[in-house]
């Protein structure tokens, strides 16, 4: 019999996402004024992680496929050597799917969570956090991505077994 897992979407909050990384946004964060009090600086919102053999880089990802709900996912990935941040550049909502490690080689599918960003929030996945690639509710969608640039294996992919169906509702 197929294994069916349904993951309800929940709002993206700093508290709800804290096991996986940080929410990048103005909500739930303190600020201080700079530039003659014309600007609020929300300082040090995410901890970037990278090993000694690499550097941090800023890239742009442009999603060209629209995600419609409910949707089915078939895999997760993780980056063991560095964190990875996604920051929407057009104020677009997007879906974040995460799971904790079950052991060194697989996510714990019984603890999958799905969050929705309202578009003024980004996320920073800690090194090793299992997550699904971008799922955007608008296409095309442009994201600034801050992640590890360097040599070495830094992307593990976990494909769900054929009898496992995971749906975001």
């Amino acid at each position: 019999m197929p294994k069916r897992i349904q993951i309800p979407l929940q709002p993206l909050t700093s508290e709800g996402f804290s096991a996986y990384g940080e929410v990048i946004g103005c909500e739930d964060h303190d600020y201080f004024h700079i530039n003659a009090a014309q600007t609020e600086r929300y300082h040090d919102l995410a901890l970037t992680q990278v090993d000694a053999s690499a550097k941090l880089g800023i890239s742009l990802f442009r999603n060209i496929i629209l995600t419609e709900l409910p949707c089915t996912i078939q895999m997760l990935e993780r980056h063991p050597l560095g964190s990875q941040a996604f920051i929407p550049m057009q104020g677009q909502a997007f879906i974040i799917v995460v799971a904790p490690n079950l052991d060194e080689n697989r996510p714990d599918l019984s603890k999958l969570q799905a969050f929705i960003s309202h578009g003024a929030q980004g996320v920073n996945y800690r090194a090793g956090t299992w997550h699904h690639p971008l799922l955007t509710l608008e296409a095309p969608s442009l994201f600034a991505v801050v992640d590890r640039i360097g040599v070495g294996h830094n992307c593990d992919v976990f494909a769900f077994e054929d009898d496992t169906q995971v749906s975001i509702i």
Side-chain angles (χ1 to χ4, degrees):
M1 173 170 232
K3 182 181 194 180
R4 295 175 194 251
I5 301 171
Q6 290 189 330
I7 311 166
L9 275 176
Q10 56 188 307
L12 179 62
T13 65
S14 294
E15 182 179 347
F17 193 72
S18 65
Y20 310 104
E22 298 88 18
V23 174
I24 301 169
C26 295
E27 297 170 9
D28 303 325
H29 295 287
D30 292 331
Y31 64 89
F32 56 90
H33 286 101
I34 61 171
N35 302 331
Q38 294 182 29
T39 304
E40 297 172 348
R41 179 175 175 149
Y42 294 81
H43 185 71
D44 199 20
L45 297 179
L47 174 65
T48 54
Q49 300 168 292
V50 65
D51 64 342
S53 69
K55 60 184 179 180
L56 285 174
I58 300 173
S59 305
L60 294 178
F61 285 21
R62 187 169 183 228
N63 248 35
I64 57 173
I65 303 296
L66 171 74
T67 300
E68 294 183 9
L69 294 173
C71 70
T72 300
I73 61 171
Q74 299 173 329
M75 57 78 75
L76 294 173
E77 66 181 27
R78 69 175 176 177
H79 308 285
L81 301 179
S83 58
Q84 189 176 46
F86 289 86
I87 304 164
M89 297 193 58
Q90 299 165 304
Q92 70 275 20
F94 67 103
I95 298 169
I96 301 107
V97 180
V98 288
N101 285 334
L102 180 60
D103 60 32
E104 289 300 313
N105 298 312
R106 60 183 292 132
D108 185 345
L109 297 184
S110 71
K111 295 184 179 168
L112 278 168
Q113 289 191 281
F115 299 92
I116 186 162
S117 164
H118 55 59
Q121 303 163 296
V123 295
N124 183 54
Y125 299 117
R126 284 194 192 101
T129 296
W130 289 102
H131 62 278
H132 193 275
L134 278 173
L135 295 168
T136 60
L137 300 173
E138 300 173 40
S141 288
L142 191 62
F143 289 80
V145 178
V146 180
D147 63 354
R148 179 187 181 276
I149 307 295
V151 297
H153 178 78
N154 191 38
C155 186
D156 297 328
V157 175
F158 180 81
F160 301 155
E161 296 173 7
D162 288 339
D163 67 341
T164 300
Q165 180 181 355
V166 178
S167 299
I168 313 300
I169 56 171

